[in-house]
């Protein structure tokens, strides 16, 4: 049942983003920023954590989950290091995901040798 809930929630988020892309003139980069900021705002309001516990990977994997992770890191960083934690907390909390994206992106480019479109 957890897999089904995660699939439906993640698919629903992706479907809403696709509708947003089709119905507005927003560029993909701005939509990505909108998702991260929305996740951070929902996290700061205390709404995202119960949602992510219910939805599992369907809520934590999309960019909304990344925004929530940044928020939690900033909150912990400020509690531990004061205002300096504002800058280090988010990066500390999300460093594993960022490093994995860089490493696996590099490995994929080595294995599949991408080429520029003509």
């Amino acid at each position: 049942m957890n897999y089904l809930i995660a699939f439906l929630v993640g698919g629903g988020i992706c479907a809403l983003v696709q509708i947003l892309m089709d119905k507005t003139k927003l560029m993909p980069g701005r939509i990505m920023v909108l998702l991260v900021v929305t996740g951070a705002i929902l996290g700061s309001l205390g709404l995202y954590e119960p949602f992510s516990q219910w939805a599992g990977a369907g809520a934590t994997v999309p960019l909304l989950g990344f925004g929530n992770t940044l928020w939690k890191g900033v909150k912990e960083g400020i509690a531990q290091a004061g205002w300096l934690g504002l800058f280090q907390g988010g990066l500390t909390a999300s460093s594993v995901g960022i490093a994995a994206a860089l490493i696996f992106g590099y490995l994929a480019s080595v294995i599949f040798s991408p080429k520029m479109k003509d």
Side-chain angles (χ1 to χ4, degrees):
M1 190 64 171
N2 291 338
Y3 292 123
L4 180 63
I5 292 172
F7 176 77
L8 292 175
V9 170
I13 291 170
C14 292
L16 290 173
V17 170
Q18 187 64 48
I19 291 169
L20 187 64
M21 289 175 69
D22 291 343
K23 299 295 181 186
T24 66
K25 293 183 180 183
L26 290 173
M27 301 294 287
R30 290 187 181 190
I31 293 173
M32 290 170 53
V33 169
L34 181 69
L35 288 169
V36 172
V37 170
T38 302
I41 290 171
L42 290 174
S44 69
L45 295 174
L47 300 174
Y48 204 80
E49 194 63 34
F51 174 63
S52 68
Q53 287 179 356
W54 173 76
T60 57
V61 171
L63 284 173
L64 288 170
F66 181 67
N68 183 51
T69 300
L70 288 175
W71 162 251
K72 288 192 298 187
V74 167
K75 184 178 169 185
E76 288 177 17
I78 290 175
Q80 292 176 357
W83 285 105
L84 186 60
L86 182 68
F87 302 105
Q88 76 184 38
L91 291 174
T92 302
S94 60
S95 61
V96 172
I98 293 170
L102 290 171
I103 291 167
F104 289 119
Y106 174 74
L107 290 175
S109 71
V110 168
I111 293 170
F112 296 107
S113 64
K115 296 181 180 41
M116 296 294 292
K117 290 184 178 182
D118 291 330

